[in-house]
Structures are given as structure tokens and as C-alpha cells.
Amino acid sequence: MKKLFTLVAVALASLATLQAQDEVPASNWTKKNVSGINLSQTSLSNWAAGGENSVSWNIYLNSIANYKKDKWSWDNGLVADFGQTYTSSNKWQKSVDKLNLNTKAGYALSKHWNAALLLDFLTQFDKGYKSAASRAAGDKYISKFLSPGYVTLSFGADYKPNQNFSLLLSPVTGKLTIVGDDYLSSIGAYGVTPGKHLLAELGASLVANYNTNLTKDISLVSKLTLFTAYNHNFGNVDVNWDLMLNFKVNKYITANFTTNLVYDDDIKSASGGPKVQLRQMLGLGAVYTF
């Protein structure tokens, strides 16, 4: 339950921040908060084709609070998502785990271009294992809170042709990979030198955000981040792409499809080399927008 309490605390902190911002003239702020829970269940009895009973859930919160006045802008975002899947053979295993906060300050240079400074933080809430079977066998975890954690600071030119799209081009980006756990640090997880807790890289990055309503009842949210380091394997591009499609059934019920694609040559697969990581999730649940 600790992870759930942490997620609720993050949500409450976000709401408190947004409430405090109400003291600023409303016309200067654009705010949107979407929170919900998805559930799915499979029950089998004497099923000739085989299979096993399963239950899955995830709870999420997506918040934005963007401020604009004269030539100054300030965009803030929070994504918190955690979920688990239960099967009769493997018991509970987490299926999604993400905490991402970002803030971007900009100053208008022209109608669509800003000078911008972006700070981004990405980690997860709970321990992760290669599989439920490996956890049951007593194998060590492969990730946990702040292992890894990523802090990225970018300065560059931000192209914003409308409220739905932004593209930050940064020739000066500092990326800090954190592996706070002593065990994961000792094995050199996530690219750190064995025994070290930090990996600092200087490079260039591109961050593209797109948020729009495709139809009255279908919305799309996408965030693509590309990064290549000057001081470490320059030309190898780290990729992180999140995409969510929401399908509105009625005021409180939605179906959503989410994908997360990751490629990082500092993260080795079981076969020894870096691989493209892909997670997909389709859910139906309750949603609350405020």
C-alpha cells in the first residue's frame, strides 16, 4: 500500500499547487487535470483452450498548469501512473510505474519562437523485477525509486505554433542518471560506473509535445524526447516516446490506449546489448477531469 499512498500524496501536492495558482488572474493560466482508474478481469472455469484467471488495475494522474503573460510563459506538467496485474500462478506483479515532473520557462523572441529552459525529472515508485517468477525465486530487483532516476536540464529554442504543439531544440542539455540503490550501483546498472551512483552527460536534445482532440470524444497526448551525449557515444540517440489515446464513453467512463517506447544504449537487455523497449496497455475505467 506504500506505493499507493505515495501516488495519492503526489496527487494532493499537485492539487495544492494548482489551488495556490488560482490567486493569479485566471486568464493567464491554462489548466487541465485528468485522473482515473482502469480495471480488467479474466475468469476461467474448465476452459478447454487453457489460460488462467487474472486481474489488473492502474491509477493515474495527468496534470498541466501553463502560465502566459506578455512575453513570458511557464509550462508545468505532472504524470503519475501505477498499476499491477494478478495471475493465479504469478500473483501480483507491477505492470506500469512512472513518475514524471517537468517545468519549462520561456521568453518570446518572435510570434512562434521562445528562448526556453526546461527541467525534467523521471523515475518510478516501486521495486521492479524481471518477472514475477524471478521475484518468487528470490532474485534481486532490477529497479526501484531513484534507481534509475533521470534529471535533465535543457536550454534552447522552443517552437510553439499553437496551444497544442511545442518543439524544444536544445544544443545544451545536461542529463544526470541517478542510481541511488547500493546494490544496483554495485553492478553498474543503467550505465553508471560500478560503485558509483551518478552518470553525468552533456549533449543535445529534442523534446516534442502534442496534445489535441482528434474528435469530440477522442483525445491524443504525445511526448517524444531524443538525446545524444557529446561526451559519451555521440550519435547514439536515447529515445523516450509516450503516447496516450483516450476514448470517451460518457462523462465518467473512458477507454484508453497507452504506449511507451524506450531506447537507451546504457540499458542492457538479457542478451547483453541494448534493445528497444515497448510497453502497451489498453484499459477501460472511470475518469475524472477537473
Side-chain angles (χ1 to χ4, degrees), residues 106-273:
Y107 182 81
L109 302 175
S110 65
K111 183 177 180 181
H112 297 312
W113 287 94
N114 296 338
L117 182 68
L118 170 68
L119 178 63
D120 188 274
F121 170 70
L122 175 66
T123 189
Q124 58 186 24
F125 291 101
D126 197 20
K127 290 181 179 178
Y129 296 82
K130 186 176 295 184
S131 67
S134 68
R135 181 179 62 178
D139 292 346
K140 278 289 207 176
Y141 49 84
I142 59 174
S143 63
K144 62 185 295 187
F145 180 71
L146 284 182
S147 296
Y150 301 99
V151 178
T152 305
L153 183 64
S154 305
F155 178 76
D158 193 27
Y159 176 62
K160 299 177 70 174
N162 51 55
Q163 292 295 318
N164 299 328
F165 179 77
S166 68
L167 176 65
L168 176 64
L169 303 172
S170 172
V172 182
T173 298
K175 180 180 178 182
L176 186 66
T177 301
I178 304 168
V179 180
D181 181 75
D182 289 337
Y183 161 68
L184 293 173
S185 168
S186 71
I187 63 173
Y190 302 99
V192 301
T193 301
K196 302 295 184 179
H197 294 280
L198 301 174
L199 171 65
E201 298 174 283
L202 178 66
S205 67
L206 176 153
V207 182
N209 288 279
Y210 186 54
N211 186 340
T212 189
N213 293 321
L214 300 177
T215 70
K216 178 182 177 181
D217 297 322
I218 302 176
S219 62
L220 180 148
V221 178
S222 175
K223 179 181 178 180
L224 172 65
T225 301
L226 306 177
F227 173 82
T228 184
Y230 295 135
N231 62 330
H232 176 65
N233 294 333
F234 179 69
N236 288 352
V237 179
D238 296 343
V239 181
N240 196 318
W241 184 21
D242 293 321
L243 186 144
M244 173 183 285
L245 278 170
N246 285 308
F247 305 86
K248 182 178 179 181
V249 178
N250 57 37
K251 186 176 180 180
Y252 298 108
I253 303 297
T254 65
N256 56 65
F257 175 73
T258 61
T259 66
N260 180 214
L261 185 150
V262 175
Y263 178 83
D264 187 335
D265 66 346
D266 291 321
I267 301 177
K268 308 303 180 183
S269 67
S271 61

Side-chain angles (χ1 to χ4, degrees), residues 41 44 81 234 243:
Q41 183 262 343
L44 304 173
D81 197 354
F234 179 69
L243 186 144

Side-chain angles (χ1 to χ4, degrees), residues 1-18 35-37 57-63 78-83 97-99 101 125-126 290:
M1 295 297 293
K2 182 179 179 181
K3 64 187 75 70
L4 186 57
F5 292 147
T6 304
L7 180 55
V8 171
V10 170
L12 292 176
S14 174
L15 293 178
T17 301
L18 294 174
S35 181
I37 183 169
W57 65 271
N58 77 290
I59 183 171
Y60 62 91
L61 171 67
N62 292 348
S63 297
L78 164 67
V79 176
D81 197 354
F82 185 85
D97 188 358
K98 183 175 187 178
L99 174 62
L101 300 97
F125 291 101
D126 197 20
F290 54 100

